[in-house]
Amino acid sequence: MAAIVSVEKLTKRYGRGVHALKEIDLAIEEGEILALLGPNGAGKTTLISCICGIASITSGRVLVGGHDNVAEYRAARAQIGLVPQEVNLEPFERVINTVRFSRGLFGKGRDEAYLERTLWQLSLWDKRDAQVRELSGGMKRRVLIAKALSHEPRILFLDEPTAGVDVGLRKEMWDTVADLKRHGVTIILTTHYIEEAEAMADRIGIISEGEIKLVREKAALMRELGRKLFVIELMEPARRVPEGLDEYDLSLSEDGRELTYTYDTTGDGTGITRLLNALSERGLRARDVRTEQSSLEDIFVDLVGKDAA
């Protein structure tokens, strides 16, 4: 796929030496959902603000649909719809007027058919004449998306779209985002919810301390950095991990009934057969065994933890 957004050596510094972004390189492909995953303060919102032209860039450049977002700001910004974290809507305005107003801000002529399709797509058509203050929290977030889509952008940025919402509404928002992708919208979302990135994204970028640590297809990331756990339930509890097994990454449960062997899925071999033979030689017999795949959360914690070390 072609890159619809290209970020090249993007750096952002604030006063007093705060280095918010450090030479970010990022290519966002047309039609994908890219999740930028990182802890609070990692630089997610700053990166979006720089791409959208809301925050100035210290150095580097951003191309949006081939347009430089500084030299050709209007052309670049017209490609982008932005849904901020905060629900900041005029409470007494009607939904349809709120969306019409946003379209007009971008110099777009009236197109009631397009706005109707957008509101239908977001399950807002029945609420088009309602005042914003009458809507639920979930509906208000949908209005934010409708406003962001009102000028027919090719790219939609969602900054922490489900921050502070309950689990049911979060799942509803995931379904909305998936439907937008089916309609051809390129979506970039920031989140610190591991399950959100795992559920929605085609690719995942991990950002920490103003740096992109990696960007991978979700499935490839799990394959490349994932670990598997081989859990051995013992016939009799053990007091400690047997001596002479230092080559294996073994841990013993508190009750002594399970040994867990962590191994790299990308290695030449698992070593499981040799481990079982070694345990048998030391008088430990297995009652049962099972394998578990490491999650995206494990991978994320490992990467961010290395930075903190």
Side-chain angles (χ1 to χ4, degrees):
M1 294 183 183
I4 193 169
V5 177
S6 296
V7 179
E8 302 170 4
K9 302 298 180 186
L10 174 60
T11 297
K12 174 64 179 176
R13 293 188 185 90
Y14 291 105
R16 299 182 181 178
V18 177
H19 209 161
L21 298 174
K22 306 169 185 176
E23 293 197 342
I24 298 284
D25 286 311
L26 180 64
I28 299 168
E29 298 172 355
E30 186 165 12
E32 75 169 328
I33 298 179
L34 173 68
L36 287 174
L37 179 64
N40 290 331
K44 303 186 299 295
T45 298
T46 302
L47 178 56
I48 282 186
S49 297
C50 287
I51 294 173
C52 295
I54 297 171
S56 62
I57 296 170
T58 303
S59 62
R61 70 169 185 166
V62 176
L63 299 177
V64 181
H67 300 284
D68 187 293
N69 80 333
V70 176
E72 303 170 277
Y73 173 76
R74 289 185 179 276
R77 186 64 180 86
Q79 309 284 316
I80 294 172
L82 173 62
V83 181
Q85 291 185 41
E86 298 80 13
V87 177
N88 188 11
L89 297 167
E90 170 54 53
F92 294 98
E93 188 57 88
R94 300 193 183 279
V95 170
I96 187 65
N97 291 338
T98 296
V99 180
R100 282 178 184 144
F101 180 74
S102 290
R103 182 177 176 85
L105 287 177
F106 284 86
K108 289 279 190 176
R110 288 180 70 107
D111 189 338
E112 296 301 300
Y114 172 77
L115 296 185
E116 179 177 345
R117 288 196 304 273
T118 301
L119 293 179
W120 271 110
Q121 183 182 351
L122 294 168
S123 301
L124 285 170
W125 182 246
D126 291 343
K127 301 290 186 180
R128 63 191 181 278
D129 293 322
Q131 291 182 335
V132 169
R133 66 188 180 92
E134 299 169 355
L135 303 180
S136 67
M139 285 293 180
K140 288 176 182 176
R141 288 189 179 272
R142 288 173 184 267
V143 173
L144 287 176
I145 295 175
K147 280 168 56 66
L149 293 173
S150 64
H151 61 287
E152 304 172 55
R154 300 167 63 194
I155 307 154
L156 182 65
F157 284 91
L158 300 167
D159 193 6
E160 299 281 0
T162 62
V165 305
D166 60 39
V167 174
L169 179 54
R170 191 175 303 163
K171 177 62 168 61
E172 188 178 310
M173 289 297 296
W174 294 354
D175 293 340
T176 299
V177 170
D179 188 53
L180 289 171
K181 182 194 173 183
R182 285 192 290 271
H183 284 77
V185 181
T186 301
I187 297 165
I188 301 93
L189 65 96
T190 69
T191 183
H192 59 269
Y193 293 122
I194 307 289
E195 70 274 18
E196 190 154 78
E198 203 161 8
M200 288 196 292
D202 300 308
R203 289 196 303 155
I204 292 172
I206 295 181
I207 183 170
S208 178
E209 298 182 342
E211 296 180 294
I212 296 285
K213 300 303 178 183
L214 60 80
V215 180
R216 296 281 193 283
E217 289 186 4
K218 180 172 60 181
L221 178 60
M222 299 298 293
R223 287 195 303 269
E224 291 177 23
L225 299 178
R227 299 167 300 165
K228 274 196 174 179
L229 307 179
F230 184 70
V231 184
I232 306 162
E233 183 183 343
L234 301 172
M235 293 286 289
E236 300 292 338
R239 293 184 178 181
R240 58 184 178 274
V241 175
E243 294 181 0
L245 298 176
D246 295 341
E247 65 177 293
Y248 302 98
D249 184 1
L250 289 172
S251 61
L252 184 66
S253 63
E254 289 187 6
D255 61 8
R257 294 187 177 276
E258 288 188 345
L259 270 173
T260 300
Y261 168 44
T262 303
Y263 62 97
D264 185 356
T265 60
T266 62
D268 294 333
T270 64
I272 289 174
T273 301
R274 287 188 294 108
L275 173 61
L276 291 175
N277 289 336
L279 291 175
S280 179
E281 290 170 1
R282 289 160 176 75
L284 296 178
R285 294 180 298 159
R287 180 192 301 275
D288 196 8
V289 297
R290 68 180 186 275
T291 58
E292 298 175 1
Q293 179 72 45
S294 62
S295 68
L296 178 58
E297 182 170 10
D298 299 325
I299 296 168
F300 173 74
V301 169
D302 282 350
L303 283 170
V304 174
K306 287 175 184 176
D307 293 336

Short mmCIF file of all heavy atoms in Angstrom, two decimals, residues 200-238:
data_model
loop_
_atom_site.label_atom_id
_atom_site.label_comp_id
_atom_site.label_asym_id
_atom_site.label_seq_id
_atom_site.Cartn_x
_atom_site.Cartn_y
_atom_site.Cartn_z
N MET A 200 -8.34 -3.91 17.35
CA MET A 200 -8.70 -3.12 16.17
C MET A 200 -7.63 -2.98 15.11
O MET A 200 -7.93 -2.84 13.93
CB MET A 200 -9.11 -1.71 16.61
CG MET A 200 -10.45 -1.65 17.30
SD MET A 200 -11.08 0.04 17.36
CE MET A 200 -9.94 0.80 18.49
N ALA A 201 -6.37 -2.96 15.50
CA ALA A 201 -5.33 -2.48 14.60
C ALA A 201 -4.88 -3.51 13.57
O ALA A 201 -4.86 -4.71 13.83
CB ALA A 201 -4.12 -2.01 15.41
N ASP A 202 -4.51 -3.01 12.38
CA ASP A 202 -3.77 -3.81 11.40
C ASP A 202 -2.29 -3.80 11.75
O ASP A 202 -1.62 -4.82 11.67
CB ASP A 202 -3.96 -3.24 9.99
CG ASP A 202 -5.41 -3.23 9.57
OD1 ASP A 202 -6.06 -4.28 9.67
OD2 ASP A 202 -5.90 -2.17 9.14
N ARG A 203 -1.80 -2.60 12.12
CA ARG A 203 -0.42 -2.47 12.56
C ARG A 203 -0.39 -1.75 13.90
O ARG A 203 -1.30 -0.99 14.22
CB ARG A 203 0.42 -1.68 11.55
CG ARG A 203 0.70 -2.40 10.25
CD ARG A 203 1.83 -1.74 9.48
NE ARG A 203 1.55 -0.35 9.20
CZ ARG A 203 2.49 0.57 8.98
NH1 ARG A 203 3.76 0.25 9.06
NH2 ARG A 203 2.14 1.82 8.69
N ILE A 204 0.66 -2.01 14.64
CA ILE A 204 0.80 -1.41 15.97
C ILE A 204 2.15 -0.72 16.04
O ILE A 204 3.18 -1.30 15.69
CB ILE A 204 0.69 -2.48 17.06
CG1 ILE A 204 -0.74 -3.03 17.11
CG2 ILE A 204 1.10 -1.92 18.43
CD1 ILE A 204 -0.92 -4.21 18.01
N GLY A 205 2.13 0.53 16.46
CA GLY A 205 3.35 1.25 16.76
C GLY A 205 3.45 1.45 18.25
O GLY A 205 2.45 1.79 18.90
N ILE A 206 4.61 1.20 18.82
CA ILE A 206 4.82 1.40 20.25
C ILE A 206 5.71 2.62 20.42
O ILE A 206 6.80 2.70 19.86
CB ILE A 206 5.43 0.15 20.91
CG1 ILE A 206 4.43 -1.01 20.84
CG2 ILE A 206 5.81 0.44 22.36
CD1 ILE A 206 4.91 -2.29 21.47
N ILE A 207 5.21 3.60 21.17
CA ILE A 207 5.92 4.85 21.39
C ILE A 207 6.19 5.00 22.88
O ILE A 207 5.32 4.72 23.72
CB ILE A 207 5.12 6.05 20.83
CG1 ILE A 207 5.91 7.35 20.98
CG2 ILE A 207 3.75 6.15 21.45
CD1 ILE A 207 5.29 8.53 20.24
N SER A 208 7.40 5.40 23.20
CA SER A 208 7.78 5.59 24.60
C SER A 208 8.84 6.68 24.67
O SER A 208 9.78 6.70 23.86
CB SER A 208 8.33 4.28 25.18
OG SER A 208 8.75 4.45 26.52
N GLU A 209 8.66 7.61 25.61
CA GLU A 209 9.61 8.69 25.82
C GLU A 209 9.95 9.43 24.52
O GLU A 209 11.10 9.79 24.25
CB GLU A 209 10.89 8.17 26.48
CG GLU A 209 10.63 7.57 27.86
CD GLU A 209 11.89 7.09 28.54
OE1 GLU A 209 12.91 6.90 27.85
OE2 GLU A 209 11.87 6.91 29.77
N GLY A 210 8.91 9.65 23.70
CA GLY A 210 9.07 10.46 22.49
C GLY A 210 9.72 9.75 21.33
O GLY A 210 10.05 10.38 20.33
N GLU A 211 9.88 8.44 21.41
CA GLU A 211 10.50 7.68 20.35
C GLU A 211 9.60 6.52 19.92
O GLU A 211 8.96 5.89 20.75
CB GLU A 211 11.85 7.11 20.81
CG GLU A 211 12.89 8.15 21.14
CD GLU A 211 14.20 7.53 21.57
OE1 GLU A 211 14.22 6.88 22.64
OE2 GLU A 211 15.20 7.68 20.83
N ILE A 212 9.57 6.26 18.61
CA ILE A 212 8.88 5.08 18.10
C ILE A 212 9.82 3.89 18.28
O ILE A 212 10.90 3.84 17.69
CB ILE A 212 8.52 5.24 16.61
CG1 ILE A 212 7.53 6.39 16.41
CG2 ILE A 212 7.94 3.93 16.06
CD1 ILE A 212 6.12 6.11 16.83
N LYS A 213 9.41 2.95 19.10
CA LYS A 213 10.26 1.79 19.38
C LYS A 213 10.14 0.74 18.29
O LYS A 213 11.11 0.05 17.97
CB LYS A 213 9.88 1.17 20.74
CG LYS A 213 10.05 2.14 21.89
CD LYS A 213 11.48 2.66 21.96
CE LYS A 213 11.67 3.66 23.08
NZ LYS A 213 13.04 4.22 23.10
N LEU A 214 8.96 0.60 17.73
CA LEU A 214 8.77 -0.32 16.61
C LEU A 214 7.42 -0.06 15.99
O LEU A 214 6.52 0.52 16.60
CB LEU A 214 8.88 -1.79 17.05
CG LEU A 214 7.91 -2.33 18.10
CD1 LEU A 214 6.55 -2.69 17.50
CD2 LEU A 214 8.50 -3.57 18.76
N VAL A 215 7.27 -0.47 14.73
CA VAL A 215 5.97 -0.50 14.04
C VAL A 215 5.92 -1.83 13.31
O VAL A 215 6.80 -2.12 12.50
CB VAL A 215 5.81 0.66 13.04
CG1 VAL A 215 4.44 0.57 12.36
CG2 VAL A 215 5.96 2.01 13.74
N ARG A 216 4.92 -2.64 13.59
CA ARG A 216 4.81 -3.95 12.98
C ARG A 216 3.35 -4.27 12.70
O ARG A 216 2.44 -3.78 13.36
CB ARG A 216 5.34 -5.05 13.92
CG ARG A 216 6.81 -5.00 14.25
CD ARG A 216 7.68 -5.55 13.13
NE ARG A 216 9.02 -5.77 13.62
CZ ARG A 216 9.93 -4.82 13.79
NH1 ARG A 216 9.62 -3.56 13.51
NH2 ARG A 216 11.14 -5.10 14.25
N GLU A 217 3.14 -5.15 11.72
CA GLU A 217 1.82 -5.76 11.59
C GLU A 217 1.55 -6.53 12.88
O GLU A 217 2.45 -7.14 13.45
CB GLU A 217 1.78 -6.70 10.40
CG GLU A 217 1.82 -6.00 9.06
CD GLU A 217 1.63 -6.96 7.90
OE1 GLU A 217 1.41 -8.15 8.17
OE2 GLU A 217 1.73 -6.52 6.75
N LYS A 218 0.30 -6.49 13.30
CA LYS A 218 -0.04 -7.07 14.60
C LYS A 218 0.36 -8.55 14.68
O LYS A 218 1.01 -8.98 15.65
CB LYS A 218 -1.53 -6.91 14.87
CG LYS A 218 -1.99 -7.48 16.20
CD LYS A 218 -3.43 -7.11 16.48
CE LYS A 218 -4.36 -7.63 15.40
NZ LYS A 218 -5.77 -7.26 15.66
N ALA A 219 -0.01 -9.32 13.67
CA ALA A 219 0.31 -10.75 13.69
C ALA A 219 1.82 -10.98 13.68
O ALA A 219 2.33 -11.85 14.39
CB ALA A 219 -0.35 -11.45 12.50
N ALA A 220 2.54 -10.18 12.87
CA ALA A 220 3.99 -10.33 12.79
C ALA A 220 4.64 -9.96 14.12
O ALA A 220 5.62 -10.59 14.55
CB ALA A 220 4.55 -9.47 11.68
N LEU A 221 4.10 -8.94 14.78
CA LEU A 221 4.64 -8.53 16.07
C LEU A 221 4.52 -9.67 17.09
O LEU A 221 5.46 -9.95 17.84
CB LEU A 221 3.88 -7.30 16.57
CG LEU A 221 4.26 -6.76 17.94
CD1 LEU A 221 5.73 -6.35 17.96
CD2 LEU A 221 3.38 -5.59 18.32
N MET A 222 3.38 -10.32 17.08
CA MET A 222 3.18 -11.43 18.01
C MET A 222 4.14 -12.57 17.70
O MET A 222 4.67 -13.22 18.61
CB MET A 222 1.73 -11.92 17.94
CG MET A 222 0.69 -10.87 18.31
SD MET A 222 0.83 -10.26 20.00
CE MET A 222 0.38 -11.72 20.92
N ARG A 223 4.37 -12.80 16.40
CA ARG A 223 5.29 -13.88 16.02
C ARG A 223 6.74 -13.53 16.36
O ARG A 223 7.48 -14.36 16.88
CB ARG A 223 5.19 -14.18 14.52
CG ARG A 223 3.92 -14.90 14.11
CD ARG A 223 4.08 -15.47 12.71
NE ARG A 223 4.40 -14.44 11.73
CZ ARG A 223 3.51 -13.76 11.03
NH1 ARG A 223 2.23 -13.99 11.23
NH2 ARG A 223 3.88 -12.84 10.15
N GLU A 224 7.12 -12.29 16.06
CA GLU A 224 8.52 -11.90 16.22
C GLU A 224 8.93 -11.74 17.67
O GLU A 224 10.03 -12.12 18.06
CB GLU A 224 8.78 -10.59 15.47
CG GLU A 224 8.73 -10.72 13.96
CD GLU A 224 8.93 -9.38 13.28
OE1 GLU A 224 9.51 -8.48 13.91
OE2 GLU A 224 8.48 -9.23 12.14
N LEU A 225 8.05 -11.13 18.46
CA LEU A 225 8.44 -10.81 19.83
C LEU A 225 7.71 -11.65 20.87
O LEU A 225 7.97 -11.52 22.05
CB LEU A 225 8.15 -9.32 20.11
CG LEU A 225 8.92 -8.34 19.23
CD1 LEU A 225 8.51 -6.92 19.58
CD2 LEU A 225 10.41 -8.51 19.42
N GLY A 226 6.80 -12.49 20.41
CA GLY A 226 6.02 -13.29 21.34
C GLY A 226 6.84 -14.38 21.99
O GLY A 226 7.82 -14.86 21.47
N ARG A 227 6.41 -14.78 23.17
CA ARG A 227 7.01 -15.90 23.86
C ARG A 227 5.92 -16.91 24.15
O ARG A 227 4.74 -16.56 24.22
CB ARG A 227 7.64 -15.45 25.18
CG ARG A 227 8.76 -14.43 25.03
CD ARG A 227 9.09 -13.84 26.36
NE ARG A 227 7.92 -13.16 26.93
CZ ARG A 227 7.83 -12.79 28.20
NH1 ARG A 227 8.79 -13.03 29.04
NH2 ARG A 227 6.74 -12.18 28.63
N LYS A 228 6.31 -18.15 24.31
CA LYS A 228 5.36 -19.16 24.75
C LYS A 228 5.76 -19.67 26.11
O LYS A 228 6.95 -19.75 26.44
CB LYS A 228 5.28 -20.30 23.74
CG LYS A 228 4.30 -20.04 22.61
CD LYS A 228 3.95 -21.30 21.85
CE LYS A 228 2.85 -21.02 20.84
NZ LYS A 228 2.50 -22.22 20.05
N LEU A 229 4.76 -20.01 26.88
CA LEU A 229 4.97 -20.58 28.19
C LEU A 229 4.56 -22.05 28.15
O LEU A 229 3.47 -22.39 27.69
CB LEU A 229 4.13 -19.84 29.24
CG LEU A 229 4.28 -18.31 29.30
CD1 LEU A 229 3.37 -17.75 30.37
CD2 LEU A 229 5.71 -17.91 29.54
N PHE A 230 5.44 -22.91 28.62
CA PHE A 230 5.16 -24.34 28.74
C PHE A 230 5.02 -24.63 30.23
O PHE A 230 5.98 -24.54 30.98
CB PHE A 230 6.28 -25.16 28.12
CG PHE A 230 6.03 -26.64 28.11
CD1 PHE A 230 5.08 -27.19 27.27
CD2 PHE A 230 6.75 -27.49 28.94
CE1 PHE A 230 4.84 -28.56 27.24
CE2 PHE A 230 6.52 -28.86 28.93
CZ PHE A 230 5.57 -29.39 28.08
N VAL A 231 3.79 -24.90 30.63
CA VAL A 231 3.48 -25.07 32.05
C VAL A 231 3.37 -26.56 32.36
O VAL A 231 2.60 -27.29 31.72
CB VAL A 231 2.18 -24.35 32.43
CG1 VAL A 231 1.92 -24.47 33.93
CG2 VAL A 231 2.25 -22.88 32.02
N ILE A 232 4.15 -27.00 33.33
CA ILE A 232 4.20 -28.42 33.72
C ILE A 232 3.57 -28.56 35.10
O ILE A 232 4.07 -28.01 36.09
CB ILE A 232 5.65 -28.93 33.76
CG1 ILE A 232 6.35 -28.64 32.43
CG2 ILE A 232 5.71 -30.41 34.12
CD1 ILE A 232 7.86 -28.69 32.51
N GLU A 233 2.45 -29.27 35.17
CA GLU A 233 1.83 -29.57 36.46
C GLU A 233 2.46 -30.84 37.01
O GLU A 233 2.44 -31.89 36.36
CB GLU A 233 0.32 -29.76 36.30
CG GLU A 233 -0.41 -30.01 37.60
CD GLU A 233 -1.89 -30.26 37.42
OE1 GLU A 233 -2.42 -29.93 36.34
OE2 GLU A 233 -2.51 -30.81 38.36
N LEU A 234 3.05 -30.75 38.19
CA LEU A 234 3.80 -31.86 38.76
C LEU A 234 2.92 -32.81 39.55
O LEU A 234 1.92 -32.40 40.15
CB LEU A 234 4.91 -31.31 39.67
CG LEU A 234 5.93 -30.37 39.01
CD1 LEU A 234 6.84 -29.76 40.06
CD2 LEU A 234 6.73 -31.12 37.96
N MET A 235 3.31 -34.08 39.53
CA MET A 235 2.58 -35.09 40.32
C MET A 235 2.71 -34.78 41.81
O MET A 235 1.74 -34.90 42.56
CB MET A 235 3.15 -36.48 40.02
CG MET A 235 2.88 -36.97 38.61
SD MET A 235 1.15 -37.48 38.36
CE MET A 235 1.09 -38.99 39.33
N GLU A 236 3.91 -34.39 42.24
CA GLU A 236 4.17 -34.03 43.62
C GLU A 236 4.79 -32.64 43.65
O GLU A 236 5.62 -32.31 42.79
CB GLU A 236 5.13 -35.04 44.28
CG GLU A 236 4.62 -36.47 44.30
CD GLU A 236 3.44 -36.64 45.24
OE1 GLU A 236 3.28 -35.79 46.16
OE2 GLU A 236 2.68 -37.61 45.05
N PRO A 237 4.41 -31.80 44.63
CA PRO A 237 4.98 -30.45 44.68
C PRO A 237 6.49 -30.48 44.91
O PRO A 237 7.02 -31.36 45.58
CB PRO A 237 4.25 -29.79 45.84
CG PRO A 237 3.70 -30.91 46.66
CD PRO A 237 3.45 -32.04 45.72
N ALA A 238 7.17 -29.50 44.32
CA ALA A 238 8.62 -29.35 44.48
C ALA A 238 8.90 -28.16 45.39
O ALA A 238 8.13 -27.20 45.44
CB ALA A 238 9.29 -29.16 43.13
#
